[in-house]
Amino acid sequence: MDLENNKAQMRKGILEYCILSVLSRNSCYASDIIKELKEAEVIVVEGTLYPLLTRQKNAGTTGPSPQIL
Amino acid sequence: MKITVSINLGGYSFNIDEDAYAELKMYLKNLELHFAREESSSEILSDIETRMAELFRTKLTNYKQVINIEDVRQAISILGTPEDISDNNGPSARDKFSSPGYHRLYRDSDHRVIGGVCAGMAAYWDLEIWVVRLIFFVLAMMGVGILVYLILYIVLPEAKTTAEKIEMRGNPVNIHNIKDSVKKEFDTVRKNMKL
C-alpha cells in the first residue's frame, strides 16, 4: 500500500516536469500535451492532467500564450 | 423511441438521451466531489467539461444528432473516473471527506423562506423545520431573533454542492449517498418534464 502510494506520488511529480518539457519546445494546447503524454504512455486518462495544469497555471509556471490566443 | 434532455456543456448545447444524461450527471458529480477540496476545483471541472464537449462534438454527424449512453461511457473512459485520476494524484479529497460523521452547519437554500438558516439548522439537528422557525419567531418577538438570524446568515456558508448538502444532513459523503441524491434530483427533473 505504502509502496503503491510512493509510486503514485513519484509519477505525479514527474508528470509536472513532463508537461513543462512538452511546453518548453513549443507552446501548445492542452489537447496536444495530452496526446503526446498518452503516446509516451505517461498518463492513462486525460482527467489526470487538468488539475495539474490548473495548479501550474496558478503557480505561474505555465500560462496562456498570446500566440495561441 | 427515447426522451432526450437538452444540456449546456462547456458552452455548447447538446441533445442527450435521458439515460445518458443520468450517467453523465453522476460522473460529473463524482468528479466535483473528488476535487472538492482542491483550491480551484471549479476551474478544473470546467476544463474537464470543455474537453467532454469536444469529445461529444466529434461524435455528432448529420445522421446522428443525439448523444447516447455509449458516447458518454466512451468519453468517461477517455477522461477517466475519479478512481483513475486519483491513482496519479496521491491522497485525494475524498479520503478527508468520507470520514464518518463529517457534519457541518450550512444554510439550506433548497428549503428556504428567507435565507435558509432555519432549514439548515433543522437539517443539522434533524428537527422539523417548523420547530426551528417557531423558535426563531419567538426569539424575534423578544427582540433578539432578527439580529441572531442576521449573524447566522452572514456566518454560515450556503450548501451549494451535493457533497455539502450531504454533509449538512450528517451522512458520510460516499458514492452511495451521492447516487441517492443525484437520483432524487433526476427524478424531480423527470417529473417536471412530464407535467
Side-chain angles (χ1 to χ4, degrees):
Chain A
M1 190 59 217
D2 230 17
L3 184 70
E4 272 305 303
N5 193 29
N6 283 348
K7 270 188 182 165
Q9 290 294 326
M10 278 169 79
R11 214 175 323 145
K12 180 187 161 197
I14 285 175
L15 205 51
E16 299 211 18
Y17 288 108
C18 292
I19 296 171
L20 291 176
S21 113
V22 171
L23 281 172
S24 68
R25 273 177 270 145
N26 250 322
S27 29
C28 56
Y29 290 111
S31 53
D32 300 329
I33 304 176
I34 287 170
K35 213 172 123 203
E36 190 143 350
L37 294 183
K38 262 189 166 173
E39 276 166 12
E41 291 180 13
V42 184
I43 55 170
V44 185
V45 291
E46 298 187 356
T48 317
L49 204 69
Y50 291 103
L52 289 180
L53 280 177
T54 310
R55 226 173 283 150
Q56 289 189 340
K57 194 205 75 195
N58 290 344
T61 45
T62 64
S65 140
Q67 293 130 7
I68 295 187
L69 288 176
Chain B
M1 190 183 77
K2 275 183 176 175
I3 295 174
T4 66
V5 183
S6 179
I7 58 166
N8 169 358
L9 189 69
Y12 292 103
S13 96
F14 293 99
N15 286 321
I16 177 168
D17 281 336
E18 207 181 11
D19 51 350
Y21 169 74
E23 182 116 357
L24 178 65
K25 181 150 192 184
M26 182 92 71
Y27 172 68
L28 291 175
K29 283 277 175 198
N30 280 344
L31 276 184
E32 189 183 317
L33 173 71
H34 179 76
F35 292 121
R37 284 284 180 266
E38 197 86 28
E39 219 174 287
S40 38
S41 61
S42 62
E43 205 174 336
I44 296 171
L45 278 173
S46 89
D47 278 350
I48 290 178
E49 280 187 17
T50 310
R51 178 67 181 144
M52 197 113 198
E54 267 172 34
L55 290 172
F56 282 169
R57 276 161 57 84
T58 64
K59 300 279 176 206
L60 297 179
T61 62
N62 278 344
Y63 305 103
K64 179 176 175 299
Q65 306 201 334
V66 175
I67 297 293
N68 60 30
I69 197 156
E70 242 353 274
D71 300 331
V72 171
R73 287 196 179 136
Q74 228 170 59
I76 290 175
S77 77
I78 291 174
L79 282 164
T81 60
E83 289 77 30
D84 299 332
I85 294 172
S86 71
D87 181 25
N88 285 350
N89 231 351
S92 69
R94 190 204 307 263
D95 301 335
K96 277 179 247 161
F97 247 131
S98 58
S99 59
Y102 204 88
H103 199 176
R104 290 189 60 184
L105 198 50
Y106 285 101
R107 282 189 289 119
D108 181 4
S109 49
D110 290 346
H111 302 106
R112 67 175 182 170
V113 171
I114 305 172
V117 171
C118 290
M121 292 172 103
Y124 185 83
W125 283 297
D126 207 11
L127 297 166
E128 291 288 328
I129 295 182
W130 65 265
V131 175
V132 185
R133 290 201 179 120
L134 188 71
I135 293 170
F136 264 93
F137 184 73
V138 172
L139 282 177
M141 288 291 117
M142 286 156 61
V144 284
I146 294 171
L147 188 67
V148 171
Y149 192 95
L150 268 179
I151 291 171
L152 284 171
Y153 181 82
I154 293 165
V155 169
L156 296 181
E158 187 184 342
K160 281 194 195 116
T161 64
T162 309
E164 285 167 352
K165 283 174 192 164
I166 295 173
E167 267 179 28
M168 178 175 72
R169 282 178 225 115
N171 298 329
V173 180
N174 55 35
I175 296 299
H176 185 72
N177 279 330
I178 292 181
K179 209 182 267 177
D180 280 353
S181 64
V182 170
K183 204 167 157 248
K184 230 182 276 169
E185 243 172 272
F186 184 63
D187 285 342
T188 337
V189 170
R190 190 152 47 180
K191 222 183 283 166
N192 289 344
M193 282 195 316
K194 290 212 170 109
L195 284 176

